[in-house]
Amino acid sequence: MESVKSTEGRKGKRIVLGRKESSAERPITTPFQMSIAEAFKLFVSVKEAENVKPRTKAEYHVQFGYFQDWLNANYTDLLHAQDISPTIIRSYINYLAYEKVRYEGIDHRVNNDVRGLSPYSVNIRIRFLKAWFNVLVKEQTLIKNPVSGIKLMKVEMDTKQSLSEEEVRLLLQQPNQKSFAQFRDFVMIMLFVDSGMRVQEVCSLDIEDIDFVSRCINLPAVKNKNRKNRIIPLSNEMSRLLQELCTDTQRHFDTNVVFVSNFGERLTTDGIRTNLSKYVKRAGITRSVAPHSFRRFYAKHSALNGIDIFSLQRILGHADITTTRRYIQLNKDDLISQHNHFSPLVNVLQNQRYRNNSSLHNVRVKQ
């Protein structure tokens, strides 16, 4: 006979069928309320550990300042990061898009009481908020992310036209090359035109970054926006001018910096913009011209001259080729010129004329 185990001893006892949720499954609870300033400090600390660039870190502080000023003016009783809701975020976005006075508080910019930032500018601020609150959620400072359902504003296709060749020629005629500072500016404008470099990259340029033998700039990752090494080819004339400027600079100053002030200090981006504005005014150009305008000029005219878009992407240092495409804005005259040059019909007719002329020539020879 099989032995039967007695169950009498189990009667009346609780039967355990399930188990409590694991710690990983429990909802995140915030142990304490964190002030907005402390939450931002935590965000910066995390980003520093990720080794973000100093320029990126500085931009975080600028964007946080904008948001905090708005909160202080509109939500004086809001003290903790946990109290920021999607409704508050949307109110901030609406303020930026429709109420904010454009260029307010920025020196040397005329605002004419124009209200509302461009969708592009608003999206910069939304991206900052997303980056900030994503970190707070990952660090378990917040249970819910107030910007998780916030979308970027729709941005129309960029239709900014680049500088014309005539405008570039006019600008190059303005600096007096007998002056050290103005010769430096002449070489700088030439470099913008010949390389499509960003203004921050030009500021950071050192002599050891230039290979005068191979005629190229080897831009190290630390000086490049997307943290990748980049090779920027130079024309013969550009290489010669850079060599001449570096020789002049080292004659006066003990430095390896390519573009320096009259005092031997590295030029700043603001200094470059100020000097460029002076030449724009002298040239009688009425529209706004920034260092980035030359980057657009380089992209467009390189494309018109036949460079393939993948090489252009690498020279410009774009992570995404769609960014490179946006830089190439062709106007009506550009399209007509390109069509006339590459028209399949024109090529067919030219080849037909060649064959007809060749056949006629053969007939004449036989006669």
Side-chain angles (χ1 to χ4, degrees), residues 335-348:
L335 294 174
I336 292 173
S337 174
Q338 289 294 291
H339 173 76
N340 292 341
H341 185 71
F342 294 104
S343 168
L345 178 60
V346 171
N347 290 334
V348 168

Side-chain angles (χ1 to χ4, degrees), residues 41-52:
K41 187 176 180 180
L42 171 63
F43 166 70
V44 172
S45 175
V46 170
K47 289 301 180 181
E48 285 176 337
E50 294 175 359
N51 195 29
V52 298

Side-chain angles (χ1 to χ4, degrees), residues 18-84:
R19 62 184 294 270
K20 290 184 178 180
E21 59 192 358
S22 66
S23 58
E25 294 170 333
R26 292 189 198 115
I28 298 171
T29 57
T30 306
F32 63 92
Q33 294 280 74
M34 181 175 282
S35 73
I36 295 171
E38 289 172 336
F40 176 70
K41 187 176 180 180
L42 171 63
F43 166 70
V44 172
S45 175
V46 170
K47 289 301 180 181
E48 285 176 337
E50 294 175 359
N51 195 29
V52 298
K53 288 187 174 183
R55 180 168 171 261
T56 304
K57 180 181 168 183
E59 183 62 21
Y60 289 150
H61 283 273
V62 171
Q63 296 300 330
F64 174 70
Y66 290 147
F67 184 56
Q68 189 174 46
D69 288 346
W70 179 81
L71 285 177
N72 291 340
N74 295 273
Y75 292 88
T76 55
D77 58 341
L78 194 149
L79 301 176
H80 302 105
Q82 289 83 354
D83 298 328
I84 298 175

Side-chain angles (χ1 to χ4, degrees), residues 230-276:
R230 190 159 116 242
I231 296 175
I232 305 170
L234 300 171
S235 64
N236 290 343
E237 177 64 9
M238 189 70 254
S239 180
R240 184 191 68 78
L241 285 170
L242 283 170
Q243 203 159 19
E244 185 178 345
L245 175 65
C246 291
T247 301
D248 279 0
T249 300
Q250 291 193 318
R251 187 180 296 124
H252 300 292
F253 307 106
D254 182 17
T255 181
N256 285 325
V257 178
V258 176
F259 296 104
V260 300
S261 68
N262 286 334
F263 302 100
E265 300 168 344
R266 189 185 296 273
L267 280 185
T268 65
T269 57
D270 287 341
I272 291 174
R273 291 188 178 96
T274 299
N275 291 343
L276 180 59

Side-chain angles (χ1 to χ4, degrees), residues 117-235:
L117 303 181
S118 69
Y120 177 83
S121 298
V122 175
N123 285 344
I124 290 174
R125 305 200 185 185
I126 295 175
R127 287 189 179 97
F128 159 71
L129 293 174
K130 282 182 176 291
W132 179 21
F133 286 104
N134 284 342
V135 166
L136 295 183
V137 171
K138 288 178 182 178
E139 293 294 314
Q140 300 188 1
T141 300
L142 294 181
I143 298 175
K144 293 183 178 180
N145 190 336
V147 293
S148 60
I150 304 294
K151 295 182 179 179
L152 297 176
M153 296 190 74
K154 293 186 180 296
V155 179
E156 293 182 3
M157 180 64 72
D158 187 2
T159 56
K160 286 184 180 178
Q161 291 298 323
S162 75
L163 292 165
S164 68
E165 290 186 5
E166 180 59 26
E167 287 172 326
V168 171
R169 278 191 285 267
L170 281 171
L171 285 171
L172 288 171
Q173 291 169 8
Q174 304 314 309
N176 178 3
Q177 296 185 45
K178 293 181 180 180
S179 157
F180 169 78
Q182 294 193 47
F183 174 66
R184 172 207 65 205
D185 292 342
F186 171 77
V187 175
M188 186 183 300
I189 295 173
M190 289 281 280
L191 182 59
F192 280 133
V193 174
D194 193 52
S195 68
M197 292 176 69
R198 300 178 178 94
V199 64
Q200 295 88 355
E201 296 166 350
V202 169
C203 285
S204 68
L205 198 61
D206 294 316
I207 293 175
E208 56 263 30
D209 298 328
I210 307 172
D211 185 341
F212 290 106
V213 176
S214 300
R215 296 193 303 278
C216 67
I217 291 173
N218 298 306
L219 199 67
V222 70
K223 297 181 181 181
N224 199 3
K225 186 176 180 180
N226 62 7
R227 293 292 184 94
K228 293 182 180 179
N229 294 328
R230 190 159 116 242
I231 296 175
I232 305 170
L234 300 171
S235 64

